[in-house]
Amino acid sequence: MNHPVIPIAVADAARQRRREAPKGRRVEPQALAEVRALLGDAPRARDLLIEHLHKLQDRYGHLAVRHLAALAQEMRLSQTEVFEVATFYHHFDVVKEGEAPPPALTVRVCDGLSCELAGARTLLAELAQRHGVDVRVIAAPCVGRCESAPVAVVGQRPVLHASADDVTAAIGRGETTHDHHGHLDLAAYRAGGGYRLWQQCLRGERDVESVLQTLDDSALRGLGGAGFPAGRKWRIVRAQPAPRLMAVNIDEGEPGTFKDRWYLERDPHRFVEGLLVAAWAVGIDAVYVYLRDEYHGLRRMLERELAALRASDLGRDLPPIELRRGAGAYICGEESAMIESIEGKRGMPRLRPPYVAQLGLFGRPTLEHNFETLYWVREIVEKGGAWFAAQGRHGRKGLRSFSVSGRVKSPGVKLAPAGITVRELIDEHCGGMLDGHRFYAYLPGGASGGILPASLGDVPLDFDTLQPHGCFIGSAAVIVLSDRDRAVDAARNLMRFFRDESCGQCTPCRNGTAKASELIARDDWDLPLLADLSAVMRDASICGLGQAAPNPIDCVVRYFPHELAPKR
């Protein structure tokens, strides 16, 4: 068969045209117009990718591939970059060609341990049976309202102490968004002396060294879980070359933790003033506040209060403060993963060194803080470090905000002396155990902090006191179990959570959490294999998720061997 002869020049021109054509999916003009209209005059900066994905998700209820391709072109990013970020986070629903988009309304039922204890599995099954076609009903990791378990979220509106009838009624009323009211607003906060401390700092009535010394005297440590001394952290970052940035972590995704939300919804400006004092002392050029996406109403409230502050006579002295929205990823509670997310990327923890204080957000030295740590700054500086340090019990120093849930009469945030025992916490602050329940076990530090038996209920709850028992306090999320519960079942719930929330970057965590979850789902545990797996995860995982994930399993083996005894 004779083939036509194509002149070399024509063939070269055709190859050149192919090289000049954009790789990947062609952008539809209509999709591009829709994306441009939605973004308006908002900057197309790379770090705003997640913010823009939220705009698309909120507007259309999902992320169509055609819109992702258009967004990539509009932001001058590769389609791969946009797609990999969109598929990383739980709250983005990527719909490929040929797939049906999800129903217009999604109901998320929290399946965290506290909600499971309160009947979340039954609630999920009943809602799925009632609304399986017209509404998408799915399980969700902890939504940060453990004191009101079980919790369902209808669209963006939480339904507390939820029953199937409550959720159905909320769906019928079209209650899909939530706005928060009842907080101390700017006027009320200033009437109580708010922002006076910050203004004193700016006017030179207080010097940096005295404020740093007050923090040192208070023994205030980071209250997000790591417990690093706050004053020392400020000094370290202050010594780094300018410009310096601040990243504030309000992504409290640890199951059992809700203290940051509790304080924020009551007194937001106390936190903001602490933030501003820290920015002044350390010499911060810009602040980024990372708020978990589950707190929809609080985000709108905080936006309003920051806008009011900027519009007030105090606004001229404010550093730039940007509020960034998480997208449903527990791993972003880890400081470097949070920074990656603020930069518009997947929340993958970084290898260290270099540390965030040296090379953090946008490559600059960064002061990273948990919400509650900053919340205490004003009161500590005004009352003195000795006041805060004198609040402890059993030889410990300071105050702790315990998020208490589970089998107690009065769950909630309990402000108590550092070093209080769980028995004292239950009896003095929680009204005792629920009627008909006997104290059996407790989690002192949320999902990753381990599980201890009631026989160790007199150990002081604080940093450094629980490590000899294979546990830690973390963010002080205390989940109380009774004689109607089993530590084995709690460990299974927690390991499923870690399996689903592993970012997948490192093999020990990615494969280890999946394998561990599979092994402990069996009635007969392979203890030697679990011990080997635990050692590998602790020694080789990049970040604290994989390193701490074996804690519940190790605690069951150590303290609850009777639950593993073979059935006869």
Side-chain angles (χ1 to χ4, degrees):
M1 180 177 179
N2 295 325
H3 296 279
V5 177
I6 302 176
I8 293 177
V10 174
D12 286 345
R15 282 194 293 269
Q16 181 65 29
R17 283 195 297 274
R18 285 197 297 270
R19 283 197 295 268
E20 290 174 353
K23 292 183 178 180
R25 179 179 301 275
R26 297 294 180 91
V27 175
E28 300 174 16
Q30 180 63 30
L32 184 59
E34 291 167 352
V35 166
R36 285 175 174 169
L38 190 61
L39 300 190
D41 59 359
R44 270 55 168 173
R46 172 67 176 81
D47 59 288
L48 293 175
L49 173 58
I50 293 174
E51 297 294 310
H52 295 336
L53 289 171
H54 274 302
K55 291 184 177 74
L56 285 166
Q57 177 77 34
D58 292 344
R59 170 64 179 82
Y60 295 101
H62 62 278
L63 298 176
V65 171
R66 56 192 289 272
H67 285 141
L68 294 181
L71 182 62
Q73 178 171 312
E74 186 67 8
M75 297 187 70
R76 298 186 178 182
L77 299 172
S78 71
Q79 293 184 23
T80 300
E81 287 179 276
V82 174
F83 191 84
E84 71 178 10
V85 171
T87 54
F88 181 85
Y89 294 93
H90 295 318
H91 291 182
F92 293 143
D93 296 308
V94 177
V95 177
K96 301 176 184 177
E97 278 188 1
E99 294 181 346
L105 180 62
T106 295
V107 174
R108 291 179 166 86
V109 178
C110 175
D111 67 354
L113 179 57
S114 300
C115 284
E116 183 175 288
L117 295 176
R121 287 188 181 181
T122 301
L123 175 62
L124 180 64
E126 187 168 349
L127 288 173
Q129 185 174 13
R130 288 191 187 187
H131 303 285
V133 177
D134 56 329
V135 174
R136 181 174 61 162
V137 179
I138 60 175
C142 183
V143 297
R145 299 179 183 274
C146 316
E147 81 281 20
S148 304
V151 180
V153 182
V154 178
Q156 298 180 349
R157 173 177 287 275
V159 179
L160 310 181
H161 302 293
S163 69
D165 288 342
D166 294 335
V167 176
T168 299
I171 293 171
R173 290 191 298 267
E175 296 177 349
T176 59
T177 59
H178 176 65
D179 207 354
H180 179 80
H181 301 283
H183 59 279
L184 205 64
D185 64 13
L186 177 59
Y189 182 72
R190 294 190 71 177
Y195 292 111
R196 182 173 54 199
L197 170 64
W198 177 51
Q199 289 294 291
Q200 290 172 348
C201 293
L202 293 180
R203 291 195 300 262
E205 297 171 20
R206 294 180 183 268
D207 63 274
V208 172
E209 183 54 39
S210 68
V211 171
L212 292 173
Q213 188 59 52
T214 299
L215 287 183
D216 291 339
D217 294 343
S218 72
L220 177 66
R221 297 172 65 169
L223 298 173
F228 194 85
R232 191 191 311 172
K233 179 181 283 191
W234 289 20
R235 293 180 191 276
I236 290 171
V237 180
R238 178 178 169 82
Q240 302 299 314
R244 295 176 286 272
L245 304 176
M246 185 192 300
V248 182
N249 189 342
I250 322 182
D251 192 61
E252 54 175 357
E254 182 77 15
T257 305
F258 48 91
K259 61 183 178 61
D260 291 351
R261 186 214 85 226
W262 195 89
Y263 283 125
L264 179 58
E265 65 188 6
R266 286 161 174 78
D267 198 356
H269 287 281
R270 185 172 298 270
F271 149 69
V272 175
E273 184 166 15
L275 177 158
L276 293 172
V277 171
W280 162 80
V282 180
I284 296 297
D285 289 87
V287 180
Y288 293 80
V289 178
Y290 190 84
L291 179 65
R292 73 180 308 204
D293 195 34
E294 287 80 356
Y295 297 164
H296 297 285
L298 286 179
R299 184 176 64 255
R300 282 189 285 271
M301 179 271 284
L302 190 53
E303 287 172 344
R304 286 196 305 269
E305 293 303 322
L306 288 173
L309 185 59
R310 293 186 187 103
S312 74
D313 59 302
L314 301 174
R316 64 181 181 276
D317 297 321
L318 287 175
I321 301 175
E322 289 200 31
L323 183 59
R324 293 296 176 88
R325 181 178 173 184
Y330 166 72
I331 191 63
C332 291
E334 196 275 341
E335 63 176 6
S336 65
M338 178 188 68
I339 284 174
E340 289 286 299
S341 190
I342 292 173
E343 293 179 354
K345 306 172 189 173
R346 294 177 295 170
M348 296 283 200
R350 297 176 179 177
L351 291 170
R352 283 161 287 191
Y355 296 95
V356 165
Q358 304 163 310
L359 195 68
L361 190 56
F362 305 120
R364 300 308 310 163
T366 301
L367 178 66
E368 191 277 341
H369 258 316
N370 165 259
F371 167 91
E372 195 201 351
T373 313
L374 296 170
Y375 182 87
W376 283 107
V377 167
R378 174 191 164 187
E379 197 162 1
I380 288 173
V381 176
E382 287 182 342
K383 294 183 177 180
W387 163 80
F388 188 78
Q391 302 299 313
R393 187 181 292 187
H394 301 304
R396 311 305 297 177
K397 294 182 178 181
L399 293 166
R400 295 288 176 270
S401 301
F402 293 94
S403 304
V404 186
S405 61
R407 308 296 194 179
V408 295
K409 287 184 178 177
S410 176
V413 173
K414 311 298 179 180
L415 183 61
I420 193 173
T421 70
V422 73
R423 290 188 192 277
E424 294 168 337
L425 188 64
I426 293 171
D427 293 340
E428 297 175 24
H429 295 269
C430 302
M433 297 291 293
L434 288 171
D435 292 337
H437 290 255
R438 180 172 55 84
F439 179 39
Y440 175 65
Y442 68 107
L443 286 70
S448 56
I451 309 173
L452 291 176
S455 60
L456 290 175
D458 296 317
V459 176
L461 296 175
D462 198 15
F463 299 113
D464 312 320
T465 60
L466 296 161
Q467 279 84 340
H469 306 287
C471 296
F472 57 83
I473 192 171
S475 57
V478 177
I479 304 176
V480 179
L481 307 182
S482 78
D483 54 346
R484 301 189 186 185
D485 307 311
R486 297 200 312 157
V488 164
D489 295 330
R492 286 169 176 155
N493 175 287
L494 301 174
M495 192 51 65
R496 288 194 300 270
F497 171 79
F498 290 130
R499 177 198 65 197
D500 295 342
E501 294 297 326
S502 172
C503 75
Q505 180 177 193
C506 67
T507 302
C509 179
R510 180 184 66 247
N511 290 2
T513 53
K515 185 64 176 178
S517 185
E518 173 192 331
L519 289 172
I520 67 173
R522 304 171 185 172
D523 291 333
D524 185 17
W525 286 19
D526 188 334
L527 298 184
L529 181 55
L530 283 169
D532 289 345
L533 189 58
S534 172
V536 170
M537 292 174 68
R538 292 184 189 281
D539 293 342
S541 294
I542 289 175
C543 81
L545 191 157
Q547 295 162 10
N551 282 344
I553 296 174
D554 292 349
C555 285
V556 168
V557 174
R558 181 176 177 180
Y559 297 115
F560 305 91
H562 56 282
E563 294 190 12
L564 300 174
K567 298 178 181 178
R568 298 184 182 276

